[in-house]
Structure formats: C-alpha cells, structure tokens
Amino acid sequence: MKNKRYYVIVSARKVTGGVELAHQMCRELLEKGCQAWMYYIQSEQKEPVDALPDIRYKKYGTSHVNSLEGIDSEDSVLIVPEGAAAWALPWNKCKRVLWWMSVDNYVRNAKLSGVDYFDDLRKRVSLHLVQSEYAFQYLLGRGIPRENILKVSDYIGENYGKFQLPCEFRKDIALYNPQKGLEELRPLIERIDWLKWIPLINLTEEQMMAIMGIAKVYIDFGGHPGKDRIPREAASSGCCVITNKKGSAHFYEDIPIPDCYKIDDVPKEYDRIENLLKDICIHWEKHYMEFEEYRRFISGERQRFAEDVKTFVNVMEGVKRIY
C-alpha cells in the first residue's frame, strides 16, 4: 500500500471525456495499490457532493468521498482538472496537482471571469499533468519549468475498433460533432448533397460504435483543447479523419495523421476538402491504410496510460524525479 491518499476532483453528474478520464485515473491508482477516491464537486460548494457516477462510469469501480475529513493533510494528493483550477488554491497541507486536460477551457474560463489564477497556481501547485503536447507547450510558454510537468495521457473504450467492417459494407457517410466547429462545416454540408451527413449527438456508446463502423469519414473543424476522444474512436472504427490545425490538432504528437488530412484554413479550402471527401469515398481502402500509424498509436494508449500513472505515483511517493 502506498503512503499517499489520492483524491480526483471532477464535476458531479456530468458526462464528458474529461470526467471519464478522471475516473480512469482513479481506477488506475487503485490498481497501483493506492488509496484513491473520486471527489465530486458542484458549483462553488467545497464540501464534496455525495453523488453516484453516471452509469457509463460505473465500470471503473471507483468510490467517492462525502466529507472533507482527512483531505487537507500532508499525506493527501489532490488532483484538480484545469476547468476547476480555483479548487487547487484554498488548501494548506495537501499536495496539489493540476491536470491540464483542456487548455482552451482554462483560457476561456479566465477570459469570461476576468480572473487568471496562473500566478497563484504557479506558487501552490506541486506538479502539472498534461494530456497533450498542446498543453505541454502551453505550460512551457507560460514559464512552468519542464521538471514540474508530467505527461499523463488517456485511452478510449476498448470496444472501439474490435470489429472492422470491410469496404463493401461502408457507406458514403460523413460523421461530425455538431457541438464543435459547425459554423465552418455547415457550408460543406449544404453544398455536398451526395454525402450523407450524420451528427454524433445523443448516442449511446453502442450506437456510436455502430455508426462509426459503417461510415467512411469523420470531420472535426472545432477547437481541439486536448487529445479529443471522438477522432480516436472514429479512427479506431475505420473512419478516415479530417481535422483543422487548431489546438492539439496542430501537433503530430497528439493527432499523428498525414498532413493532407489537416486543413490549415477551412473556409478557403472548401474545394480541396470536397475533392478529398470524394476521393475518400471512392478509394476508401487506400485512405484507410494512411491511418494505420494513428490506429497503432491509439491501440497503445491503454498501456502508456498505465505506465504514465506509475511514473506519477512514483513521483508523488518520492520514489523518483520526473527528469
């Protein structure tokens, strides 16, 4: 049994990639022999919320705290997502770790509130975890020393990509997330009527896997605040992926796909995008092979996550330094 107690802060009753990642962390800490709990928060209330996780997170087998007892202790490690960065401040004794799942969420929240906690965080946070190269470079750019940053990635559900449908079962379908980048994608949807466009919204995991298994392409022209899950889920399921170059999509380390599938200036390249979509639909097997490296990268994330968390625990337990 490790010496530290780990508390993973996350918003109560939300269903997002970041919330799932938080549960993955708690599960992995437990598997490493750590004492670990979820710490559900709501609004500005510091007292943890006694809430059950969404049904899709029950598979991680985590438990949660329902009081503040023992949290602010020298033996405690508080893991705080950047979206709740202020929660890393009002403590005196515990080790505080800030987990940068999404750079853009922090920047947006700071802009909307008019408050940037970064200088205070720099003084009080023991370690910064980053989920992407994008976040790593952001922190370096804001003066966080390399030795205070540790990469801890994530992984998608193991069922994605288990069954790869061959070309003859694929349809001329383009999938997209209507909550991301729709303003730049809409002109394409309106002009390309030979392609069936399906928004990924209000779907169960089983429905997501089913539709990704028959589609030929997934398009994401939104912001990429971190290594997003849906592009990886789509690629694992056999879809060709087209992105812009915003956020983490700019970095090959985060989305390792050939540059021809990353659009630098979407509104100026609608003709090229349409031609690319036509070629993908006609020659899907050829394009599918171009994503082999991305699929290998995704399939190795579960093991890398376990190794990353092991390094994190060793650092927090004082077993090793980062660099």
Side-chain angles (χ1 to χ4, degrees):
M1 184 68 71
K2 303 296 190 295
N3 294 322
K4 301 292 185 182
R5 298 189 303 274
Y6 297 83
Y7 302 92
V8 187
I9 282 187
V10 72
S11 295
R13 304 183 183 91
K14 281 193 174 182
V15 178
T16 68
V19 173
E20 180 157 16
L21 176 50
H23 285 86
Q24 289 175 340
M25 168 65 87
C26 191
R27 175 71 257 165
E28 194 65 34
L29 288 168
L30 292 169
E31 292 183 358
K32 296 287 187 286
C34 300
Q35 302 175 77
W37 297 268
M38 301 303 299
Y39 180 155
Y40 297 121
I41 61 172
Q42 187 170 289
S43 188
E44 301 299 323
Q45 180 182 337
K46 187 175 180 181
E47 192 78 22
V49 178
D50 187 8
L52 292 175
D54 184 89
I55 189 170
R56 69 193 71 192
Y57 306 138
K58 288 185 178 180
K59 63 186 177 184
Y60 295 112
T62 59
S63 58
H64 62 277
V65 293
N66 52 27
S67 78
L68 293 171
E69 184 178 357
I71 291 178
D72 196 13
S73 159
E74 292 179 356
D75 295 327
S76 297
V77 177
L78 197 64
I79 304 171
V80 185
E82 89 299 316
W87 285 78
L89 301 178
W91 307 90
N92 297 312
K93 299 178 181 178
C94 64
K95 295 286 186 182
R96 283 153 284 188
V97 174
L98 193 57
W99 198 356
W100 294 85
M101 304 177 192
S102 164
V103 171
D104 297 356
N105 282 351
Y106 178 84
V107 173
R108 182 175 59 250
N109 290 344
K111 189 174 294 186
L112 289 174
S113 67
V115 179
D116 188 343
Y117 299 102
F118 207 90
D119 287 339
D120 290 329
L121 294 169
R122 191 195 312 272
K123 300 171 187 173
R124 303 190 191 186
V125 168
S126 303
L127 181 66
H128 295 263
L129 304 182
V130 293
Q131 182 256 13
S132 64
E133 180 68 17
Y134 176 41
F136 184 66
Q137 294 299 329
Y138 172 78
L139 292 180
L140 289 179
R142 294 207 64 175
I144 298 299
R146 183 180 294 264
E147 59 268 22
N148 288 351
I149 307 172
L150 179 66
K151 287 190 177 182
V152 176
S153 186
D154 65 349
Y155 58 94
I156 62 172
E158 61 183 11
N159 290 325
Y160 285 96
K162 270 191 173 180
F163 306 101
Q164 290 280 349
L165 291 178
C167 183
E168 57 265 30
F169 292 101
R170 295 276 169 173
K171 306 295 183 184
D172 290 348
I173 294 174
L175 306 176
Y176 66 98
N177 181 353
Q179 297 177 326
K180 290 184 62 189
L182 185 58
E183 65 282 355
E184 291 193 343
L185 184 59
R186 185 176 285 112
L188 277 175
I189 296 174
E190 292 173 351
R191 70 187 274 179
I192 304 178
D193 56 5
W194 51 265
L195 191 58
K196 185 175 179 62
W197 298 86
I198 297 181
L200 298 175
I201 191 168
N202 297 327
L203 300 177
T204 64
E205 185 174 71
E206 291 74 19
Q207 290 169 331
M208 288 276 282
M209 288 188 290
I211 192 62
M212 287 177 174
I214 63 170
K216 290 184 177 178
V217 63
Y218 170 74
I219 303 179
D220 191 334
F221 291 154
H224 295 263
K227 280 198 311 175
D228 291 343
R229 288 175 177 270
I230 297 182
R232 287 177 283 162
E233 292 166 351
S236 292
S237 302
C239 293
C240 300
V241 175
I242 300 175
T243 72
N244 51 25
K245 292 186 178 181
K246 295 179 180 178
S248 70
H250 175 76
F251 295 92
Y252 187 82
E253 295 90 338
D254 294 337
I255 303 184
I257 62 177
D259 200 56
C260 64
Y261 299 100
K262 293 185 177 183
I263 311 302
D264 193 32
D265 191 336
V266 172
K268 293 182 179 179
E269 299 188 63
Y270 284 139
D271 289 341
R272 183 171 84 82
I273 298 167
E274 182 172 4
N275 289 334
L276 178 59
L277 287 169
K278 283 180 182 177
D279 203 64
I280 288 174
C281 289
I282 296 170
H283 306 290
W284 175 80
E285 288 177 297
K286 178 190 75 173
H287 289 275
Y288 171 83
M289 295 306 298
E290 294 292 328
F291 291 86
E292 184 61 30
E293 181 177 347
Y294 192 26
R295 289 191 295 271
R296 282 198 303 268
F297 172 79
I298 296 164
S299 67
E301 287 183 320
R302 178 66 184 89
Q303 181 59 37
R304 286 197 298 275
F305 180 76
E307 294 167 357
D308 290 345
V309 175
K310 180 180 179 180
T311 300
F312 166 62
V313 171
N314 286 339
V315 169
M316 299 314 297
E317 299 285 338
V319 175
K320 66 179 292 186
R321 296 175 61 86
I322 302 176
Y323 297 101

